[in-house]
Amino acid sequence: MTVPLDRHYSVELQVSAERVSQLRRIVAAHLRHWSLDLHVRPVCRALDELLTNVHRHVGDGNACVLELRWTGRHVTVSVADNSARMPRLLPAGGGLSRVMALSDSWGTCRTTDGKVVWFTRYAEAPKAAGLLPYDPLPGVRTARAVPVAVLV
C-alpha cells in the first residue's frame, strides 16, 4: 500500500460549543479516510481539549485555525488563536494534562498574532495483510472428487 507522504486539512473558524463537536466529526472522518481508525478516539479527545480551551479562555467570536497533518509516520494537530495568553499545565488534570496523556508530544508557541498549541501522535501507515495460501490443518481431510458412477 502506497501512502502519500503528506496529508493535510486546515480550517479557519469561529469557536463555539457547536463547532467543537462538528470539527471532531470532521477530523474523525479525515483520520478514517487515511486508514487511521485506531487514532480517532485519542486524537478527537485531545482536539476537544484544545478547542474547548479556546472557547473557554479566548471566547466566542474569535477566529482560530485548526490544522491536521499526517506525514505517514505522525499525526499533528494544531490550533492557533489570536490570544497572547499562554496556556498552563494544571496539576489537577484535565485540559493540557489530558492532551499530554493522549499524545506522544505536545507544545505551545507564541506567534505574532497570538499562539499555537499542538500535539502529535505516532501513526504509521497500516500494513496491508496479503492473502496467502495456508497448508491445511492437521487432521483436516482434503476434498475428494465425487465418483462418476454415483451420479446415475
Side-chain angles (χ1 to χ4, degrees), residues 3-7 69-75 122-126:
V3 178
L5 290 180
D6 195 17
R7 303 251 179 129
R69 182 178 301 272
W70 180 46
T71 63
R73 294 185 63 91
H74 294 90
V75 171
Y122 179 74
E124 194 169 19

Side-chain angles (χ1 to χ4, degrees), residues 49-151:
E49 292 297 330
L50 296 186
L51 292 175
T52 301
N53 283 348
V54 172
H55 176 65
R56 227 180 255 146
H57 301 292
V58 178
D60 281 339
N62 286 316
C64 76
V65 176
L66 163 68
E67 287 192 70
L68 173 67
R69 182 178 301 272
W70 180 46
T71 63
R73 294 185 63 91
H74 294 90
V75 171
T76 302
V77 177
S78 65
V79 176
D81 62 52
N82 57 6
S83 171
R85 184 175 166 200
M86 296 301 284
R88 295 177 305 168
L89 185 61
L90 301 175
L96 289 178
S97 296
R98 184 168 290 141
V99 172
M100 183 174 67
L102 293 167
S103 64
D104 293 318
S105 63
W106 69 278
T108 62
C109 180
R110 268 190 213 282
T111 64
T112 57
D113 300 334
K115 68 179 169 302
V116 176
V117 182
W118 56 268
F119 68 88
T120 62
R121 282 183 59 88
Y122 179 74
E124 194 169 19
K127 306 269 189 277
L131 299 176
L132 300 174
Y134 292 102
D135 292 331
L137 296 173
V140 175
R141 297 186 306 180
T142 58
R144 293 187 220 169
V146 178
V148 178
V150 177
L151 295 176

Side-chain angles (χ1 to χ4, degrees), residues 15-32:
V15 179
S16 67
E18 297 81 29
R19 293 289 287 170
V20 171
S21 62
Q22 182 184 28
L23 285 165
R24 182 177 53 243
R25 289 190 302 272
I26 291 169
V27 166
H30 276 83
L31 293 173
R32 286 186 183 103

